[in-house]
Amino acid sequence: MLPIVGSVELTARYKSAVVTNLKFIVTARDILECDEFNKCGPDCNCTNTIGSYYCTCFAGYRINNDKFIASYYNPCRDIDECSEQPGLCGQLTVCTNVPGTFDCSCCDGTYPSTGIYWEKNVSFCESIDDTLNKLPLKEGETKEDAFCNRILDQLTNDTSTPVVAPTVSNAICAAMLVGGVGPYVKTSKVSSEGNGRMGSQIIRVCEGLVNAMATRTENETKQEIHTPTVDMEMKAIGTGSQENNASSLTTKGNVMHINLMDLASANNGSVQVAFMTVTGMESFLSHQYFKAAKKTEMRSDVVTALVPSVNITNLTEPVNFTIQHTKSTSEDGTVSCVYWNDKNKDDPHWSEEGCWVSFTHENYTVCSCTHLSTFALIMQIGEPAPQDDFLEWLNRICVIIGLFFFALAILTFILCSWNPKINNTARLHLCLTLGLSHLLLLWNDRFVDHELACTVMAGLLHYLVVSSFTWMLLEALQLHLLVRRLNKVQVIQRDGLPKPLLYMIGYGVPFVIVGVSALVYSDGYGATKANVCWLSTERHFNWALTGPVIAVLGMNWMLFCATLWSLRHTLASMRSGASQSKDTRLILFKILAQFVILGCTWILGLYQTNLFFQVLFIILNSQQGTFLFIVHCLLNKEVREEYVRWLTCAFGGDNSAPKDLPSVSEDLDNNEGQKEKEKKAD
């Protein structure tokens, strides 16, 4: 029988081989499906078997439909352990799902017991103090340094384990808490001079964490962190990305414009760039580290630009930063773009090298820099006018004299025996509040460098000044009520308003004004451009004082006009030289003098353009205590008699006081009694 010449069809799993001498020699070979092409799809292991294959998802993955084998149409998907197993990490933790697994971090304010890297079933979250107390300290090492060094050591010893965003945020927050600065610190432990060494240490921690967070990619990716402590945006591009030359990253309104493709081409086609802000960093890296002849102020957040795992000292193309101002710029100041230079650990400082101002606006400044680092805006304020020693000397002498007469007036109101119908409460507390405000004004420039003390000083001064104007209004109201008694026949045990009502108005109204002002804009109290602790002019906060003062002056003027109207018949009928004429003129003099002394002298403060107005303001404003002593003490009969009696007793003379001219209050009482008798006679 002749051999059959032709093809042999085998099953789909095998194929025929070689034909020799018209005889079929058949061999069978398994098709390696997993080698020729991956039928299982991504995130899956393909295992070949004789005549078949099977698929196994990677750990932490599973197929969508378990009735069918994994494939491109039924791929393996990442398991979200954090959503499926609430509380997986434990208490006070943050669970973060990552491809194939999950990671645990602590909430801000606590820290993992094992450091940066979480160890399952071992790590737990503890307080920062507990962490610090457990740290072994080297000779000469502080707890703050030991904490930061431990983070850096862990990152250096384990470069293969990526760090997730919550871990980065938690570690930076913990470092800031250890340093005594940040949104979770009630009272800052850093002085106004700053702490450059600690600031540099935390910057190195930030760089190490960002490096560990960055992962190499073929396409464009973006990661963001937005917490009270850290605000960061990180962008990565690879060989497969379609990124344009110009890229922008944003943090807290600040924008960085950088050419990522240029950086990637110099780094094997891929690069990652991070742009971040750490709340409170400006407390460490104070403006006082900027060496300048002029006075300086920090005018922006401290921003940091990083290229993880790449050492770039000079860029081929400058990077532009649009940095927002935290305070509006002043006309007499210039903004400087600076970076933090800590190459010399013994002399860290802000430097302008390699950075310049491209454009500046009232609300922002564009800086151009040829390197990436930590940046900020510092305002150099123009030199203030040379201080006039004469004016300083004159002001202190006049204020001391005024305080002496304030003290005399206060002692007089407290110790002297008064007509029981006369209420001196308003006068006493007017002198107290004015005297205290003048005393504080002597010292309020001593606390400019201490932020908390300066804020308290400014708030207290605001309260005392508003309170003094309120008591001035109450005293004017008391005098007006006293004058109205001239035209009425009535028996009054005590003139004016009751004491509880006076206290409520005199101290309650200023408390409400200052309290509302502090709630609306608490930053309005503190150091001003004049280098004193007072009210800021930003957001028109100075109207918290100007408004109430204008209102009080306006009401005082209305009371003065009302008093004149009440005295119109008396003024029309009085005879020159008569006793009633003298007393009426004295009443009008007291009302007008108090209005001018306590109100109008402040108007001179608006006109300080020449030496004459400056001297006039210092003399008149500082002698308010002297004028009040003259008006309310020396021009009062009871006080003069008390002074004579005290002096007589002091020098061993006769205790009987000589007959003096009648006081206004006594004459008013006599007038009332006379009018009452005339009324009864009619």
Side-chain angles (χ1 to χ4, degrees):
M1 183 174 65
L2 294 174
I4 299 174
V5 179
S7 62
V8 178
E9 183 177 355
L10 303 177
T11 63
R13 311 313 307 168
Y14 300 90
K15 57 187 176 181
S16 58
V18 183
V19 178
T20 306
N21 296 326
L22 300 177
K23 294 175 64 177
F24 284 103
I25 301 175
V26 180
T27 61
R29 181 165 58 89
D30 181 35
I31 299 173
L32 301 179
E33 294 88 353
C34 295
D35 290 347
E36 294 184 358
F37 55 91
N38 187 1
K39 289 189 174 184
C40 296
D43 303 317
C44 184
N45 283 319
C46 180
T47 305
N48 191 72
T49 61
I50 301 299
S52 184
Y53 68 96
Y54 64 89
C55 303
T56 307
C57 292
F58 291 163
Y61 292 83
R62 65 175 172 226
I63 55 177
N64 288 342
N65 190 345
D66 57 4
K67 294 181 180 180
F68 299 95
I69 191 171
S71 66
Y72 279 99
Y73 303 101
N74 188 32
C76 295
R77 302 289 187 186
D78 176 46
I79 301 173
D80 189 349
E81 296 87 352
C82 297
S83 298
E84 295 184 3
Q85 304 178 55
L88 181 61
C89 294
Q91 296 181 345
L92 301 175
T93 59
V94 177
C95 183
T96 305
N97 185 64
V98 295
T101 184
F102 65 96
D103 202 346
C104 299
S105 308
C106 291
C107 298
D108 287 351
T110 60
Y111 192 67
S113 58
T114 54
I116 288 294
Y117 298 107
W118 186 274
E119 298 180 18
K120 295 179 177 62
N121 301 322
V122 176
S123 300
F124 60 90
C125 296
E126 60 184 4
S127 68
I128 302 297
D129 290 336
D130 290 341
T131 300
L132 292 177
N133 292 332
K134 294 190 307 183
L135 289 176
L137 300 180
K138 300 177 183 178
E139 185 177 355
E141 188 179 41
T142 64
K143 291 184 177 181
E144 293 80 5
D145 290 336
F147 182 84
C148 294
N149 290 333
R150 183 190 183 192
I151 295 177
L152 294 173
D153 290 342
Q154 286 186 302
L155 293 172
T156 303
N157 296 332
D158 186 355
T159 58
S160 60
T161 305
V163 177
V164 296
T167 300
V168 172
S169 173
N170 174 256
I172 296 176
C173 177
M176 295 295 287
L177 280 171
V178 169
V181 174
Y184 297 100
V185 176
K186 294 182 179 179
T187 304
S188 176
K189 299 178 183 177
V190 181
S191 67
S192 59
E193 288 79 14
N195 187 343
R197 186 185 58 79
M198 188 65 189
S200 296
Q201 188 83 312
I202 294 178
I203 290 175
R204 285 190 286 273
V205 168
C206 293
E207 292 174 350
L209 290 167
V210 172
N211 287 340
M213 180 181 173
T215 55
R216 197 174 185 88
T217 180
E218 295 296 325
N219 300 312
E220 179 182 342
T221 60
K222 180 186 290 187
Q223 298 186 68
E224 296 182 358
I225 298 177
H226 302 290
T227 67
T229 303
V230 182
D231 194 89
M232 186 186 79
E233 182 175 332
M234 184 164 66
K235 183 178 288 188
I237 63 171
T239 54
S241 64
Q242 302 296 322
E243 178 70 25
N244 297 325
N245 289 339
S247 301
S248 62
L249 291 87
T250 304
T251 173
K252 279 192 174 180
N254 306 298
V255 183
M256 176 176 69
H257 303 276
I258 188 171
N259 189 337
L260 283 183
M261 294 302 294
D262 189 28
L263 292 176
S265 62
N267 190 44
N268 299 323
S270 64
V271 72
Q272 301 91 22
V273 176
F275 190 43
M276 66 187 302
T277 300
V278 178
T279 303
M281 185 60 74
E282 64 277 2
S283 298
F284 290 121
L285 311 184
S286 168
H287 63 89
Q288 297 191 32
Y289 283 102
F290 184 60
K291 300 174 182 179
K294 300 179 180 180
K295 178 185 175 183
T296 58
E297 289 183 3
M298 186 70 74
R299 288 301 172 97
S300 73
D301 294 323
V302 176
V303 297
T304 300
L306 301 170
V307 180
S309 305
V310 178
N311 185 16
I312 297 178
T313 54
N314 288 296
L315 302 170
T316 57
E317 182 179 333
V319 179
N320 292 323
F321 299 91
T322 302
I323 303 178
Q324 300 295 324
H325 296 171
T326 54
K327 294 181 180 180
S328 59
T329 57
S330 56
E331 296 180 357
D332 60 340
T334 57
V335 176
S336 298
C337 297
V338 295
Y339 82 98
W340 183 247
N341 185 347
D342 58 353
K343 294 179 181 178
N344 184 354
K345 295 183 179 180
D346 296 329
D347 183 30
H349 61 277
W350 289 108
S351 173
E352 294 180 277
E353 183 181 358
C355 292
W356 62 92
V357 175
S358 296
F359 176 78
T360 187
H361 182 265
E362 181 182 356
N363 299 319
Y364 65 89
T365 294
V366 178
C367 298
S368 296
C369 297
T370 58
H371 53 82
L372 298 181
S373 180
T374 296
F375 303 94
L377 295 178
I378 291 182
M379 169 71 75
Q380 297 186 57
I381 301 174
E383 288 290 341
Q387 188 173 8
D388 195 323
D389 293 334
F390 167 72
L391 291 179
E392 179 68 18
W393 174 83
L394 179 66
N395 178 63
R396 293 195 176 276
I397 294 298
C398 290
V399 170
I400 290 173
I401 294 173
L403 288 173
F404 171 76
F405 283 102
F406 267 128
L408 279 183
I410 292 170
L411 288 174
T412 300
F413 291 135
I414 294 175
L415 300 178
C416 280
S417 57
W418 296 84
N419 188 323
K421 293 184 180 181
I422 303 300
N423 189 341
N424 287 300
T425 303
R427 299 170 189 173
L428 172 62
H429 291 276
L430 171 63
C431 292
L432 280 172
T433 53
L434 268 179
L436 285 174
S437 64
H438 282 218
L439 180 63
L440 290 181
L441 283 171
L442 277 178
W443 302 97
N444 76 331
D445 58 339
R446 306 291 178 89
F447 300 93
V448 173
D449 294 332
H450 304 278
E451 183 177 356
L452 180 61
C454 191
T455 300
V456 173
M457 175 71 78
L460 188 58
L461 274 172
H462 184 202
Y463 177 79
L464 289 173
V465 173
V466 174
S467 182
S468 64
F469 273 88
T470 306
W471 284 110
M472 179 183 76
L473 177 63
L474 292 173
E475 173 60 17
L477 181 60
Q478 295 281 82
L479 288 175
H480 175 70
L481 295 176
L482 183 65
V483 168
R484 289 185 59 186
R485 292 174 55 196
L486 289 171
N487 299 323
K488 295 181 181 180
V489 179
Q490 56 185 3
V491 178
I492 303 177
Q493 295 300 322
R494 196 171 186 86
D495 73 294
L497 301 174
K499 282 187 178 182
L501 182 59
L502 288 174
Y503 291 142
M504 186 181 301
I505 298 174
Y507 291 114
V509 171
F511 181 81
V512 171
I513 292 174
V514 175
V516 171
S517 301
L519 288 175
V520 172
Y521 185 44
S522 59
D523 293 336
Y525 296 104
T528 65
K529 296 177 182 178
N531 208 31
V532 294
C533 299
W534 191 231
L535 277 65
S536 170
T537 57
E538 294 183 8
R539 293 172 55 177
H540 305 290
F541 186 72
N542 52 320
W543 277 92
L545 175 65
T546 307
V549 167
I550 292 177
V552 168
L553 292 179
M555 286 186 282
N556 261 356
W557 179 253
M558 288 188 290
L559 284 173
F560 178 69
C561 294
T563 302
L564 287 178
W565 180 258
S566 298
L567 291 173
R568 65 188 185 280
H569 298 298
T570 303
L571 293 172
S573 60
M574 67 183 183
R575 299 185 303 275
S576 177
S579 174
Q580 185 179 2
S581 172
K582 293 180 180 179
D583 291 326
T584 303
R585 286 198 297 268
L586 188 57
I587 293 173
L588 293 177
F589 169 74
K590 282 190 174 185
I591 297 174
L592 184 60
Q594 183 167 279
F595 175 77
V596 173
I597 292 168
L598 303 182
C600 295
T601 54
W602 291 95
I603 298 176
L604 292 174
L606 302 176
Y607 302 94
Q608 298 291 290
T609 55
N610 56 55
L611 184 62
F612 172 76
F613 282 110
Q614 291 174 353
V615 172
L616 188 63
F617 173 74
I618 288 174
I619 293 176
L620 294 181
N621 206 55
S622 63
Q623 297 309 301
Q624 290 177 342
T626 306
F627 297 145
L628 287 173
F629 177 76
I630 293 173
V631 170
H632 291 297
C633 295
L634 292 185
L635 296 180
N636 189 288
K637 178 207 171 196
E638 291 94 336
V639 175
R640 292 196 300 270
E641 288 181 349
E642 287 289 333
Y643 287 163
V644 171
R645 186 172 63 84
W646 291 347
L647 292 174
T648 303
C649 291
F651 292 102
D654 188 6
N655 290 342
S656 61
K659 184 66 177 175
D660 203 350
L661 294 175
S663 68
V664 176
S665 58
E666 183 185 66
D667 186 74
L668 289 176
D669 293 335
N670 292 338
N671 286 340
E672 288 179 2
Q674 184 177 355
K675 285 187 178 183
E676 187 176 359
K677 290 179 181 179
E678 292 176 356
K679 184 70 177 179
K680 290 180 179 179
D682 293 339

